[in-house]
Amino acid sequence: QAPIPRPNLELRPLGNTGLKVSCVGFGASPLGSVFGPCSEHDAVASVREAFRLGINYFDTSPFYGGTMSEKMLGKGLKALGVPRNEYIVSTKCGRYKEGFDFSAERVTRSIEESLERLQLDYVDILLCHDIEFGSLDQVVNETIPALQKLKEAGKTRFIGITGLPLSVFTYVLDRVPPGTVDVILSYCHYSINDSTLVDLLPYLKSKGVGVISASPLAMGLLTENGPPEWHPASPELKAACKAAAAYCKEKGKSISKLAMQYGLGNKDIPTVLVGMKSVKQVEENVAAATELATFGKDHQALSEINAILSSVKNQTWPSGIQQS
Ligand code: NAD
């Protein structure tokens, strides 16, 4: 197969991992039909177009679409027919269709299952998925040590944690030896409506932890089509985002492009992980990055949207269990 020619989407270092991730990362949860149906054809074509346009980082989880996302991403990556070291893959463990299980036994089995579905020998990053739903002390004392063993066994090159409340990151990072957790994945906390992740960046930098910022479109709130049925935002937040999207449309602007550019504009955030399930979405989100590099942010439109969203700024939603 002829090599795929690839333009230069900006690559940024991910913490101390030595990995250089594309500033736009490919979130594969939509490949599990989490945001409406996604055919295998569209899944494979989206992955191909992403790679062709310079995206080198792909994220999935056994939870997305009850393993469907991992299978689709595996097919897409295999179809690229490129050497394994040309792309970076993260998957997760501890969260499944059946529920949460952060035990050492489950996460150790989990990676084997994921590798089989992904048709890979190793992943680059293995993340404990949504740790606020488990005991954080179990994550510190049992799950992370199990993941370290998987790292030593070559099943994953790096390990990390994900969650919605930003407090889970400091809880864990303050309790594990330095350098144990390589990356964190935060979502819905660095976009136009909620930018609270910014306050944590100096701390994460001091810990040498790489930052993956997911859901720049606030899981669909900042799109013209709006969020899926299951979206946990309050009616007030949904209404404000809907009004912002309508305002952009009226002005001939794209709310998704503005939201992508907002996320990409912070160089301390190595990669903005956006969920995609069509070639068109891939092209639009990569274009948002290249246009930002050429023309800079649309400050006027951003401040107008900010005004529309001011009453819900930094509003989030509850996630997880009460920690004892
Ligand atoms: P997102 O904010 O990236 O939004 C995704 C939605 O926007 C989908 O409906 C998608 O089809 C749509 N979309 C994408 N590009 C578009 C465009 N140009 N125009 C219009 N609509 C567009 O939310 P997300 O997918 O939840 O987050 C991104 C990725 O981050 C996920 O796929 C997943 O890989 C990861 N993630 C991880 C966690 C976690 O670990 N707990 C949580 C959330 C997300």
Side-chain angles (χ1 to χ4, degrees):
Q1 208 168 14
I4 303 175
R6 310 175 72 207
N8 293 327
L9 190 59
E10 187 185 336
L11 299 177
R12 298 178 184 169
L14 182 62
N16 291 340
T17 62
L19 296 174
K20 286 198 167 167
V21 283
S22 50
C23 59
V24 178
F26 188 107
S29 68
L31 304 191
S33 295
V34 171
F35 291 89
C38 175
S39 68
E40 183 173 325
H41 174 271
D42 283 345
V44 171
S46 303
V47 170
R48 185 166 192 84
E49 186 66 352
F51 187 79
R52 190 180 77 79
L53 293 179
I55 291 178
N56 72 352
Y57 171 46
F58 299 84
D59 173 71
T60 183
S61 164
F63 175 62
Y64 301 149
T67 73
M68 184 58 74
S69 167
E70 285 190 330
K71 287 178 195 151
M72 290 293 177
L73 181 60
K75 285 182 186 183
L77 293 173
K78 183 145 202 187
L80 293 177
V82 301
R84 172 65 184 88
N85 62 6
E86 289 193 20
Y87 50 82
I88 295 162
V89 178
S90 56
T91 193
K92 312 196 183 79
C93 58
R95 181 168 201 178
Y96 309 96
K97 192 175 70 182
E98 305 78 36
F100 292 88
D101 187 347
F102 292 101
S103 67
E105 185 276 321
R106 183 67 190 100
V107 299
T108 304
R109 196 155 39 86
S110 186
I111 183 66
E112 295 297 344
E113 296 164 358
S114 291
L115 291 174
E116 195 175 326
R117 288 189 287 262
L118 284 162
Q119 307 182 53
L120 298 175
D121 299 327
Y122 68 93
V123 290
D124 297 278
I125 307 167
L126 182 60
L127 299 153
C128 299
H129 196 172
D130 291 341
I131 57 173
E132 70 269 28
F133 287 93
S135 149
L136 295 183
D137 290 323
Q138 182 187 29
V139 170
V140 169
N141 299 319
E142 181 177 340
T143 324
I144 289 175
L147 263 51
Q148 275 186 295
K149 284 196 187 135
L150 295 173
K151 190 172 168 179
E152 284 155 22
K155 301 291 177 188
T156 184
R157 296 173 68 199
F158 302 101
I159 65 172
I161 49 180
T162 87
L164 182 72
L166 292 167
S167 57
V168 300
F169 299 122
T170 46
Y171 188 95
V172 171
L173 291 169
D174 283 343
R175 286 165 179 78
V176 295
T180 312
V181 171
D182 303 295
V183 301
I184 63 114
L185 184 158
S186 162
Y187 72 101
C188 288
H189 287 312
Y190 198 81
S191 197
I192 310 175
N193 60 306
D194 179 341
S195 56
T196 46
L197 176 63
V198 78
D199 298 331
L200 201 64
L201 293 177
Y203 167 88
L204 294 168
K205 200 172 198 168
S206 76
K207 294 272 181 188
V209 171
V211 182
I212 298 161
S213 174
S215 311
L217 310 182
M219 302 194 301
L221 287 177
L222 302 176
T223 62
E224 242 167 55
N225 288 340
E229 196 59 31
W230 51 259
H231 200 292
S234 71
E236 188 196 8
L237 177 53
K238 284 181 182 164
C241 291
K242 195 175 174 183
Y247 178 82
C248 288
K249 193 171 181 192
E250 194 188 300
K251 296 271 167 192
K253 311 240 175 204
S254 155
I255 185 112
S256 310
K257 186 197 279 188
L258 291 165
M260 279 303 294
Q261 294 185 335
Y262 182 93
L264 289 162
N266 190 328
K267 300 267 180 181
D268 289 328
I269 292 180
T271 187
V272 172
L273 193 54
V274 57
M276 303 186 266
K277 61 172 184 153
S278 71
V279 166
K280 181 167 174 271
Q281 288 180 351
V282 171
E283 287 171 351
E284 284 176 4
N285 294 333
V286 171
T290 48
E291 283 174 32
L292 178 69
T294 316
F295 305 113
K297 274 188 195 163
D298 184 341
H299 293 286
Q300 164 107 26
L302 277 173
S303 74
E304 286 162 9
I305 299 172
N306 249 322
I308 297 172
L309 295 176
S310 61
S311 66
V312 291
K313 181 74 182 170
N314 294 338
Q315 187 187 109
T316 184
W317 46 86
S319 178
I321 56 168
Q322 189 76 40
Q323 299 292 326
S324 55

